[in-house]
C-alpha cells in the first residue's frame, strides 16, 4: 500500500515546488520613465502687427496609434512601442500648446473664443522615432485654415531631425531631443503659414472700398 502512494507523493511535491521556481525565474518589473518634448528655450517674440490679427485654434487630434507610449517605427508598415518610455501627456497636447505659444504669444495674434473668425485645425499624423533608412525623429502635421464659408489653406508639413548615437539612458534622451526639435520646427511652419494668411486677409479688407 505504501509503495503505491509514492508516485502520488512525488507528483504532489513537484507541483508544490513549481510556484517557488516561477518566483525565482520571474523577470524584474519594468519601471516606466516619463518624458516631455517641451524644452524651455528663449524664442524670438515678433513685434505686434499694426493690423489686428485674430484666429481661433480649433481641434488638434492625433492618429489612433499615438498615445502615451513613445512610438518606434521599424519599417514603413510596422510600428512598435517602448514599454518603459512614456510621454507625460499625449502628443496632440504638446502640439496644441506649442501652437498656442507660437501663434498667440510669439506672434501677437489675438485668440478668438467665440464668433466669426478664421479657424486653424491640426492633425498629428506622425510623432515617432524612425529606425531606417535613417535614425531620425519624425513629426508630421496636417493642417487646415478655414472661415465659415471656405477653406483658405490646407497643407501638411513633415520634419525629421537626426537622433544622436547614444546608449543606455542617454539613448532615450536623444530620441526625445530629436522629437522636440522636429515638433518645434513643424509648429513654427504651421504658425508662419497661418499668420501669413491672416496678414493677407487683413490687407485685403483694408484695401476694400
Amino acid at each position: 500500500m505504501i509503495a503505491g502512494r509514492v508516485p502520488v507523493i512525488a507528483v504532489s511535491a513537484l507541483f508544490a515546488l513549481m510556484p517557488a521556481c516561477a518566483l525565482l525565474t520571474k523577470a524584474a518589473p519594468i519601471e516606466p520613465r516619463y518624458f516631455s518634448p517641451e524644452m524651455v528655450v528663449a524664442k524670438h517674440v515678433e513685434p505686434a502687427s499694426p493690423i489686428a490679427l485674430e484666429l481661433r485654434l480649433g481641434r488638434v487630434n492625433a492618429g489612433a496609434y499615438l498615445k502615451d507610449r513613445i512610438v518606434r517605427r521599424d519599417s514603413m508598415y510596422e510600428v512598435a512601442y517602448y514599454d518603459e518610455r512614456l510621454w507625460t501627456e499625449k502628443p496632440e497636447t504638446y502640439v496644441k500648446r506649442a501652437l498656442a505659444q507660437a501663434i498667440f504669444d510669439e506672434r501677437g495674434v489675438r485668440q478668438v473664443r467665440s464668433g466669426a473668425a478664421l479657424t486653424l485645425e491640426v492633425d498629428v499624423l506622425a510623432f515617432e522615432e524612425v529606425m531606417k533608412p535613417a535614425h531620425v525623429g519624425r513629426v508630421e502635421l496636417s493642417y487646415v485654415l478655414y472661415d465659415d464659408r471656405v477653406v483658405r489653406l490646407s497643407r501638411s508639413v513633415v520634419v525629421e531631425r537626426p537622433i544622436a548615437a547614444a546608449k543606455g539612458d542617454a539613448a532615450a534622451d536623444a530620441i526625445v531631443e530629436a522629437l522636440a526639435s522636429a515638433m518645434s520646427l513643424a509648429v513654427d511652419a504651421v504658425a508662419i503659414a497661418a499668420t501669413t494668411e491672416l496678414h493677407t486677409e487683413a490687407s485685403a479688407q483694408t484695401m476694400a472700398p
Side-chain angles (χ1 to χ4, degrees), residues 59-178:
R59 64 167 183 82
V60 178
N61 292 335
Y65 79 103
L66 296 173
K67 301 296 184 181
D68 57 343
R69 290 192 293 172
I70 295 179
V71 176
R72 182 184 72 247
R73 180 171 292 278
D74 295 321
S75 73
M76 183 182 298
Y77 308 105
E78 181 182 3
V79 296
Y81 300 89
Y82 288 104
D83 289 330
E84 77 285 6
R85 298 174 186 173
L86 295 88
W87 298 118
T88 56
E89 298 178 85
K90 293 181 180 179
E92 64 261 36
T93 303
Y94 299 126
V95 171
K96 186 166 188 175
R97 195 152 49 229
L99 282 168
Q101 179 180 349
I103 295 170
F104 305 123
D105 296 342
E106 297 171 16
R107 290 169 173 80
V109 177
R110 292 191 298 193
Q111 186 172 9
V112 175
R113 293 293 188 180
S114 63
L118 283 178
T119 299
L120 175 67
E121 294 189 348
V122 179
D123 287 314
V124 184
L125 302 182
F127 202 95
E128 59 197 20
E129 174 193 12
V130 179
M131 304 304 295
K132 53 187 180 182
H135 193 199
V136 298
R138 176 189 293 157
V139 173
E140 181 177 0
L141 305 179
S142 174
Y143 61 96
V144 57
L145 186 67
Y146 63 90
D147 58 25
D148 57 355
R149 194 176 62 88
V150 297
V151 171
R152 299 293 190 87
L153 198 62
S154 179
R155 294 177 184 171
S156 62
V157 55
V158 180
V159 178
E160 294 182 346
R161 300 296 295 165
I163 296 176
K167 295 182 179 180
D169 292 344
D173 293 338
I175 295 168
V176 175
E177 288 172 5

Side-chain angles (χ1 to χ4, degrees), residues 44-66:
H44 172 69
V45 177
E46 297 183 4
S49 171
I51 303 174
L53 302 178
E54 297 181 343
L55 179 72
R56 177 186 293 107
L57 181 55
R59 64 167 183 82
V60 178
N61 292 335
Y65 79 103
L66 296 173

